[in-house]
Amino acid sequence: MSAHSRRPTFMRHWLRLILALLPLLLLLALPALAQAPAAPKQVPAFTLTVGGAPTARPDFVVAIEILFLMTLLALAPAILILSTSFTRILVVLHFLRQALGTQQLPPNQVLIGLTLFLTFFIMRPAFDQMNREALQPYLTQQITQQEALAKAQVPFKAFMLKQARTEDLALFVRLAKLERPTKPEDLPITVVMPGFLISELRMGFQIGFLIYLPFLIIDLVVSSVLMSMGMLMLPPIMISLPFKILLFVLVDGWNLLVRSLVMGFK
């Protein structure tokens, strides 16, 4: 018998075996199907109250509050940079690193971490006031969300008005085409924040210029000495860098710089 004639016979035997076992499999599966409870259909509940105050907040209100909270968390880094001492401190620390010529030392993570902790230290009174007058009353449902936001911006607005220059605030008042307020506290936060930011950038650049001066003098002296000795192929930065680091360590530069930055916000 050839292979072609054996293959159909083999397939027919397998088909007969499967057809014979199919009723047995169905009989075994029927009790399990009968005992399995039917999954109840989930119908969304919706309650409408007319003529009376609801006993609990609706679900869509809670969802909106969660969405608003997530938005605030996403904008928290920008708010931290724009309304606190973070900008000035970070600019000054970057100027210090450039003046020393140490390239990536201290690394960016260290500079940002130091800036962040100094910001928390400087802004602690504002954070405490916001927690005491806005956050805690809102969590205990003593005030509404709008009242909490209005009270939360009061300490930060007062801090920004104290540090911002009058010229910078007047610039954004003119750009926004607003009437001149009777007192700075009447200015909207959309005017106070950019005015405070450019004032901080200006102050940071001024401090950075003063930091650059002593290190620039060292670079000039080292460069003049190398030129007088005829060592034109030797980079002056290789000789001046140890002297700049030594000068910064001898005068206790980190202590002086941090103290000056913190006292500048008092």
Side-chain angles (χ1 to χ4, degrees):
M1 184 179 296
S2 63
H4 293 286
S5 59
R6 287 195 304 268
R7 185 176 301 172
T9 305
F10 179 76
M11 293 298 296
R12 284 197 299 270
H13 285 302
W14 269 106
L15 288 176
R16 291 176 182 174
L17 181 61
I18 292 173
L19 292 176
L21 293 177
L22 185 58
L24 180 60
L25 294 175
L26 290 176
L27 290 175
L28 293 176
L30 282 177
L33 293 175
Q35 294 177 0
K41 295 183 179 180
Q42 299 293 336
V43 179
F46 180 79
T47 304
L48 180 62
T49 304
V50 180
T55 57
R57 291 184 298 176
D59 293 340
F60 69 89
V61 175
V62 178
I64 292 176
E65 290 183 355
I66 294 175
L67 178 62
F68 182 74
L69 179 61
M70 297 300 294
T71 305
L72 284 181
L73 291 177
L75 296 177
I79 296 174
L80 178 66
I81 292 173
L82 296 179
S83 61
T84 62
S85 58
F86 188 91
T87 301
R88 183 195 301 186
I89 299 174
L90 187 62
V91 169
V92 171
L93 292 180
H94 274 281
F95 267 115
L96 173 64
R97 188 172 67 178
Q98 293 296 326
L100 286 173
T102 53
Q103 301 300 325
Q104 296 298 323
L105 289 176
N108 291 331
Q109 293 84 353
V110 175
L111 292 184
I112 294 177
L114 178 60
T115 304
L116 192 61
F117 281 103
L118 288 178
T119 300
F120 287 148
F121 180 80
I122 295 170
M123 301 298 299
R124 181 179 177 181
F127 289 142
D128 291 341
Q129 183 179 351
M130 180 193 67
N131 180 60
R132 182 177 60 255
E133 299 180 0
L135 182 59
Q136 294 301 326
Y138 175 70
L139 294 178
T140 55
Q141 298 183 357
Q142 298 178 6
I143 59 176
T144 62
Q145 184 177 0
Q146 290 76 11
E147 294 175 346
L149 290 176
K151 292 184 177 182
Q153 70 179 1
V154 170
F156 294 97
K157 189 176 181 180
F159 173 81
M160 289 187 287
L161 287 173
K162 183 179 179 181
Q163 302 297 327
R165 296 194 311 157
T166 306
E167 296 81 357
D168 297 330
L169 295 175
L171 169 64
F172 286 97
V173 169
R174 292 194 300 269
L175 293 176
K177 298 180 180 180
L178 299 176
E179 296 182 359
R180 184 176 180 178
T182 56
K183 53 183 179 179
E185 289 76 10
D186 296 334
L187 290 172
I189 194 68
T190 55
V191 171
V192 176
M193 189 173 292
F196 165 77
L197 183 60
I198 62 175
S199 298
E200 289 294 283
L201 289 175
R202 178 178 179 274
M203 183 60 67
F205 274 73
Q206 288 179 350
I207 300 175
F209 171 75
L210 296 177
I211 291 175
Y212 249 102
L213 285 180
F215 300 113
L216 180 61
I217 294 174
I218 294 177
D219 287 333
L220 291 176
V221 171
V222 171
S223 179
S224 300
V225 171
L226 291 179
M227 290 183 63
S228 63
M229 296 176 61
M231 305 175 65
L232 302 179
M233 301 301 295
L234 182 63
I237 187 64
M238 294 182 61
I239 307 299
S240 63
L241 179 59
F243 290 101
K244 291 191 289 186
I245 296 177
L246 180 63
L247 173 65
F248 189 72
V249 172
L250 288 178
V251 300
D252 199 3
W254 288 112
N255 188 292
L256 291 175
L257 182 63
V258 171
R259 183 173 60 184
S260 301
L261 287 173
V262 174
M263 295 302 296
F265 291 97
K266 298 298 183 180

